Amino acid sequence: MTYAPGQTVGPFFHLGLPYAGDNELVPPGRPDAVRLHGRVLDGQGNGVPDAVIEIWQADPSGAVPRVGGSIKRDGWTFTGWGRAQTDPDGHYWFSTLEPPSFFAVTVFARGLLDRLFTRAYLPAEQLDAFLGGLPPERRDTLITTREQRGLRFDIRLQGEGETVFLTFPGQAT
Amino acid sequence: METQADISREIAELRGRGGPQPQLDYPPYRSSVLRHPTKDLVLADPEGVELWAPCFSSRDVAADEADLTIQRAGEPLGERMVVTGRVLDGQGNPVRHQLVEIWQANASGRYWHQRDQHPAPLDPNFVGAGRCLTDENGTYRFQTIKPGPYPWRNHLNAWRPAHIHFSLFGTDFTQRLVTQMYFPNDPLFDLDPIYQSITDPKAREALLASYDHELTTPEYSLGYRWDIVLTGTHRTPLEDQQ
Ligand SMILES: [Fe+2]
């Protein structure tokens, strides 16, 4: 079978993808809410103002949410999935809860011909097997920086400090 | 600014160079130059949450969101059509009850979007965005109008073939796909660096809808069929039972 190839999300995705509350997996005011945020940067270090970032994550206990409600959020149910668009500086943010290990991240942008997968790991003493297998300078691109009220994760599409992007077994490239 | 002849020359040089996916480093699409990774993708075994896809439910998507012709007070201009097909995983299994999102230009090739400066008319009766959930058989269905081709500024006199943007989820995270559906025999195919970034002709065909007279409604609407095959799933049957 021929897999459907990807195509760029283009410049007009704001028409179809964003919706109210897309980046608020939990209401930002909640005491245990954290902000996961950062900038998407191009090969010259400029912010990418037309990118979409999606996250998919376990809840704080490590359970994978199996419930709907990510589009019409009720303010109580943790669905584990969210979507954010970058602002004119290339900055995105989510209000969410901390998973035990990593956020699965998908990146789309005008100029990016197919989506990219990556992981945003929580800082931890022990490296897991995947991180341990990467050279240190590349590994650091996948580890979030802890801040007072959250976690910082910049995504560099190209060049110095280029983020590690992933492919999975069976995926054509 | 380069002409279509310059871009077409670059496209010709890169033809057949890549695999079934678009080449991320594809200079004829000028916006890709600073936005493609230069290092190889790193192979990872999907873990934990990556073995699952997010769930969406009828709570998230109202049935009338699949009809793009009833969102405003009046009837949109253009060629009314149905677009339908099945979402399948790499094993041919239907992707059931999963979210499909689309957005598109109107019949004149103009998007309902601030950044679209194409001096073609907006249609007050057509916004151009819709959502639905696939059914038990993995079938999605939209009622809409056929979008027009539109100019863009990749090079002098650049035009995109008519297309509908599709956003799809599978049964696991790694199947996430955003792509574009095209219409058969578009004369702009050979000229378009976005479509030609998929340098394998067979893979490009996987983005073509086919006209299907069975999908038409007499004196009302034409119809196109487009089936979408996502990459395989990584979960074992045992994990599915959890
Ligand atoms: Fe488009």
Side-chain angles (χ1 to χ4, degrees), chain A residues 9-12, chain B residues 103-105 111 150 160 163-165 180:
Chain A
V9 73
F12 304 125
Chain B
W103 66 102
Q104 63 168 92
Y111 281 92
Y150 60 84
R160 297 289 336 273
H163 59 271
I164 298 180
H165 296 265
Q180 303 178 24

Side-chain angles (χ1 to χ4, degrees), chain A residues 1-20 41-52 54-59 62-75 77 79-83 101-106 108-119 121 128-131 134 138 156-173, chain B residues 18-26 29 31-57 59-62 65 88-93 99 101-105 111-113 115-117 127-131 150 160 165 167 169 171 173-180 182 192-198 202-204 206-207 226-232 234-235:
Chain A
M1 256 185 283
T2 310
Y3 300 145
Q7 291 272 263
T8 181
V9 73
F12 304 125
F13 61 79
H14 308 89
L15 177 58
L17 293 179
Y19 54 88
L41 301 163
D42 73 10
Q44 288 181 334
N46 294 316
V48 174
D50 36 22
V52 180
E54 292 177 353
I55 58 169
W56 171 229
Q57 62 166 107
D59 73 13
V64 178
R66 304 297 303 141
V67 288
S70 293
I71 296 179
K72 303 275 158 61
R73 299 197 191 275
D74 65 8
T77 309
T79 65
W81 186 82
R83 175 183 281 163
S101 176
F102 65 82
F103 301 88
V105 178
T106 319
F108 308 90
R110 180 179 69 82
L112 184 58
L113 278 156
D114 198 5
R115 47 98 189 92
L116 293 170
F117 293 122
T118 187
R119 291 177 183 170
Y121 279 87
D128 84 346
F130 178 75
L131 284 181
L134 294 170
R138 298 229 67 207
R156 292 183 174 79
L157 295 177
Q158 191 184 86
E160 191 162 344
E162 185 175 304
T163 300
V164 170
F165 297 106
L166 307 179
T167 184
F168 298 100
Q171 254 164 4
T173 51
Chain B
Q21 291 293 328
Q23 299 305 290
L24 298 177
D25 178 5
Y26 192 73
Y29 177 31
S31 311
S32 75
V33 172
L34 289 172
R35 294 184 173 192
H36 68 84
T38 55
K39 297 191 164 51
D40 289 341
L41 302 180
V42 175
L43 184 67
D45 270 325
E47 286 177 43
V49 78
E50 290 165 340
L51 293 163
W52 301 90
C55 296
F56 298 92
S57 67
R59 187 192 136 71
D60 289 304
V61 183
E65 292 184 71
L88 304 168
D89 71 17
Q91 280 81 46
N93 301 309
L99 179 66
E101 298 161 285
I102 64 169
W103 66 102
Q104 63 168 92
Y111 281 92
W112 190 286
H113 192 288
R115 259 176 76 169
D116 189 353
Q117 300 300 314
V127 177
R131 289 187 191 117
Y150 60 84
R160 297 289 336 273
H165 296 265
S167 159
F169 295 80
T171 53
F173 169 75
T174 66
Q175 294 172 308
R176 183 81 177 92
L177 178 70
V178 167
T179 191
Q180 303 178 24
Y182 298 91
D192 179 37
I194 292 182
Y195 188 53
Q196 297 297 332
S197 70
I198 307 157
K202 185 130 176 60
R204 280 201 299 273
L207 299 184
W226 185 47
D227 292 333
I228 304 151
V229 183
L230 306 176
T231 53
H234 294 99
R235 273 204 312 281

Side-chain angles (χ1 to χ4, degrees), chain B residues 1-241:
Chain B
M1 212 180 205
E2 292 93 339
T3 63
Q4 181 66 54
D6 297 324
I7 295 294
S8 290
R9 207 173 304 118
E10 291 181 33
I11 289 173
E13 279 166 18
L14 294 167
R15 210 156 256 153
R17 289 286 184 86
Q21 291 293 328
Q23 299 305 290
L24 298 177
D25 178 5
Y26 192 73
Y29 177 31
R30 295 293 190 246
S31 311
S32 75
V33 172
L34 289 172
R35 294 184 173 192
H36 68 84
T38 55
K39 297 191 164 51
D40 289 341
L41 302 180
V42 175
L43 184 67
D45 270 325
E47 286 177 43
V49 78
E50 290 165 340
L51 293 163
W52 301 90
C55 296
F56 298 92
S57 67
S58 51
R59 187 192 136 71
D60 289 304
V61 183
D64 60 9
E65 292 184 71
D67 189 342
L68 286 74
T69 67
I70 57 167
Q71 294 174 349
R72 310 282 295 177
E75 287 273 353
L77 294 168
E79 186 178 319
R80 241 187 247 115
M81 64 173 190
V82 162
V83 178
T84 184
R86 296 176 74 205
V87 184
L88 304 168
D89 71 17
Q91 280 81 46
N93 301 309
V95 175
R96 300 189 168 99
H97 314 302
Q98 190 50 294
L99 179 66
V100 181
E101 298 161 285
I102 64 169
W103 66 102
Q104 63 168 92
N106 69 19
S108 310
R110 177 86 188 262
Y111 281 92
W112 190 286
H113 192 288
Q114 211 183 350
R115 259 176 76 169
D116 189 353
Q117 300 300 314
H118 177 28
L122 275 173
D123 181 345
N125 293 317
F126 190 75
V127 177
R131 289 187 191 117
C132 75
L133 295 177
T134 58
D135 70 10
E136 203 52 39
N137 301 313
T139 301
Y140 69 89
R141 189 178 193 280
F142 292 102
Q143 177 79 54
T144 184
I145 55 99
K146 191 172 181 182
Y150 60 84
W152 60 312
R153 293 182 179 162
N154 189 66
H155 53 277
L156 195 65
N157 202 14
W159 290 79
R160 297 289 336 273
H163 59 271
I164 298 180
H165 296 265
F166 270 74
S167 159
L168 301 142
F169 295 80
T171 53
D172 72 42
F173 169 75
T174 66
Q175 294 172 308
R176 183 81 177 92
L177 178 70
V178 167
T179 191
Q180 303 178 24
M181 184 205 87
Y182 298 91
F183 295 88
N185 305 316
D186 196 311
L188 296 167
F189 282 155
D190 284 350
L191 310 181
D192 179 37
I194 292 182
Y195 188 53
Q196 297 297 332
S197 70
I198 307 157
T199 66
D200 172 351
K202 185 130 176 60
R204 280 201 299 273
E205 272 174 33
L207 299 184
L208 287 189
S210 55
Y211 175 72
D212 188 342
H213 207 63
E214 296 295 313
L215 297 173
T216 60
T217 303
E219 288 163 56
Y220 187 76
S221 168
L222 295 171
Y224 287 84
R225 185 175 297 281
W226 185 47
D227 292 333
I228 304 151
V229 183
L230 306 176
T231 53
T233 173
H234 294 99
R235 273 204 312 281
T236 61
L238 188 70
E239 286 170 315
D240 260 334
Q241 285 160 16

